[in-house]
């Protein structure tokens, strides 16, 4: 191993190698060869009732099963890593409403990752002019954002009194520090070096956030496509950004001259689907927080409702929204 080689800053993704850990029983109990090595290293933790008392019961059960030669396993459990997934809930109080809050928070993070992966795939598809492929990815992203919006319905079932019962245990933990959410915003085009600095020094996170901040966004590549098609005629300015007036005119031209049979028209509308769904999610977030804690400050040091209201006013792809104002009345030529 070379300690001077910064793996996380490599230009290409690399494998990171770590030592086997005690909790790896969750992953390798069904593999006889891997379990044999696990047993050699950690078997003494399971030797006797007292020795195993500090371990989660699921660890002990899996160890005993694997030691006995392994019981039949479920392909679904193994494929979806259900054992691992369901072992990751660690609320800090016994209040039942906190488990609801905790689980919904984890579900949101999984959906942020899902939307991020779809947006990233769409961005790469646009780079190589595979527009319909990008549109398909964005359709799934918009649908997932719709599911995300429904998570606020679940949390609205937590009364202010119930939330206050465990809110103090959250400490400084706040959704503002969700790095998957932040990377998703960056991927869609809302970049912020100041917010990226919140993750400075967080191993395995700061590098990913930095990469998302400095990569081209989905909207960058959409405008790049319009430029290559000759619809957006003004290239990037000296600051590296696109001319907003020219971008508005380009999108207006797409709506005036191209119909639903055009891949550019479909791209414009699916971009709007994503932006609309994201804005809906933010608006519902604002309403829920206002309903639950009123004007109290946020746990992450934000101003709470005021911060969320400003965020809810933001629109992704503003040129695409504003292009609608310049469209003439009357039936389009197509």
């Amino acid at each position: 191993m070379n300690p001077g080689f910064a793996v996380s800053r490599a230009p290409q993704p690399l494998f990171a190698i770590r030592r086997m850990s005690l909790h790896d029983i969750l992953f390798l109990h069904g593999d006889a060869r891997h379990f044999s090595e696990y047993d050699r290293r950690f078997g003494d933790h399971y030797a006797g009732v007292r020795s195993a008392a500090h371990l989660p019961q699921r660890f002990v059960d899996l160890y005993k099963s694997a030691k006995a030669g392994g019981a039949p396993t479920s392909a679904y459990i193994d494929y979806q890593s259900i054992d691992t997934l369901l072992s990751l809930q660690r609320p800090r109080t016994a209040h039942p409403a906190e488990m609801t809050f905790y689980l919904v928070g984890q579900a949101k993070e999984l959906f942020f990752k899902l939307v991020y992966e779809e947006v990233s795939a769409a961005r790469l598809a646009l780079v190589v002019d595979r527009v319909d492929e990008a549109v398909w990815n964005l359709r799934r992203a918009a649908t997932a954002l719709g599911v995300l919006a429904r998570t606020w319905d679940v949390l609205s079932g937590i009364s202010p009194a119930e939330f206050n019962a465990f809110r103090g245990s959250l400490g400084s933990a706040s959704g503002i520090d969700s790095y998957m959410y932040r990377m998703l915003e960056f991927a869609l085009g809302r970049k912020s070096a100041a917010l990226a600095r919140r993750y400075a020094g967080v191993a395995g996170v700061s590098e990913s956030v930095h990469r998302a901040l400095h990569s081209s966004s989905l909207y960058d590549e959409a405008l790049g496509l319009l430029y290559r098609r000759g619809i957006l005629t003004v290239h990037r300015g000296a600051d590296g950004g696109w001319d907003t007036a020219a971008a508005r005119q380009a999108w207006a031209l797409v709506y005036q001259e191209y119909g639903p049979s055009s891949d550019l028209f479909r791209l414009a509308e699916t971009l709007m689907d994503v932006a609309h769904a994201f804005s809906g999610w933010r608006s519902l977030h604002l309403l829920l927080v206002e309903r639950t804690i009123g004007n109290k400050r946020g746990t992450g040091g934000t101003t709470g409702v005021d911060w969320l209201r400003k965020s809810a006013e933001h629109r992704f792809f503003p040129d695409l929204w504003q292009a609608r104002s310049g469209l003439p009345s009357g039936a389009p030529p197509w």
Side-chain angles (χ1 to χ4, degrees), residues 119 122-123 125-127 129-139 218-229 231 251 254-255 258-275 317 320 324:
V119 167
R123 181 182 72 86
L126 291 179
V127 170
D129 290 355
R130 295 163 70 170
V131 183
D132 282 332
E133 185 177 318
V135 166
W136 197 251
N137 290 121
L138 294 177
R139 285 183 62 189
L218 170 69
Y219 193 57
D220 286 330
E221 299 304 339
L223 293 180
L225 174 71
L226 294 186
Y227 183 78
R228 293 192 298 276
R229 295 280 184 94
I231 298 172
W251 288 120
V254 168
Y255 280 113
Y258 297 80
S261 62
S262 163
D263 59 355
L264 294 179
F265 184 100
R266 293 193 297 274
L267 174 63
E269 283 298 276
T270 48
L271 285 171
M272 283 299 297
D273 288 342
V274 170
F317 326 137
L320 190 51
R324 286 148 165 73

Side-chain angles (χ1 to χ4, degrees), residues 2-33:
N2 179 5
F5 183 62
V7 175
S8 297
R9 297 183 181 178
Q12 296 295 328
L14 299 176
F15 285 109
I17 301 175
R18 65 167 175 80
R19 294 181 181 274
M20 186 178 286
S21 300
L22 180 63
H23 69 265
D24 284 350
I25 188 66
L26 294 167
F27 305 94
L28 50 74
H29 60 88
D31 186 302
R33 182 172 61 86

Side-chain angles (χ1 to χ4, degrees), residues 188-204:
L188 289 170
R190 191 186 192 192
K191 310 280 182 128
S192 171
L195 288 174
R197 283 194 291 272
R198 292 181 71 96
Y199 309 97
V202 182

Side-chain angles (χ1 to χ4, degrees), residues 176-227:
I176 192 177
D177 288 323
S178 165
Y179 71 90
M180 277 311 312
Y181 176 86
R182 198 62 58 203
M183 288 169 60
L184 175 56
E185 281 202 323
F186 292 171
L188 289 170
R190 191 186 192 192
K191 310 280 182 128
S192 171
L195 288 174
R197 283 194 291 272
R198 292 181 71 96
Y199 309 97
V202 182
V205 172
S206 60
E207 296 83 359
S208 297
V209 173
H210 183 272
R211 189 176 296 114
L213 176 66
H214 293 285
S215 297
S216 64
S217 71
L218 170 69
Y219 193 57
D220 286 330
E221 299 304 339
L223 293 180
L225 174 71
L226 294 186
Y227 183 78

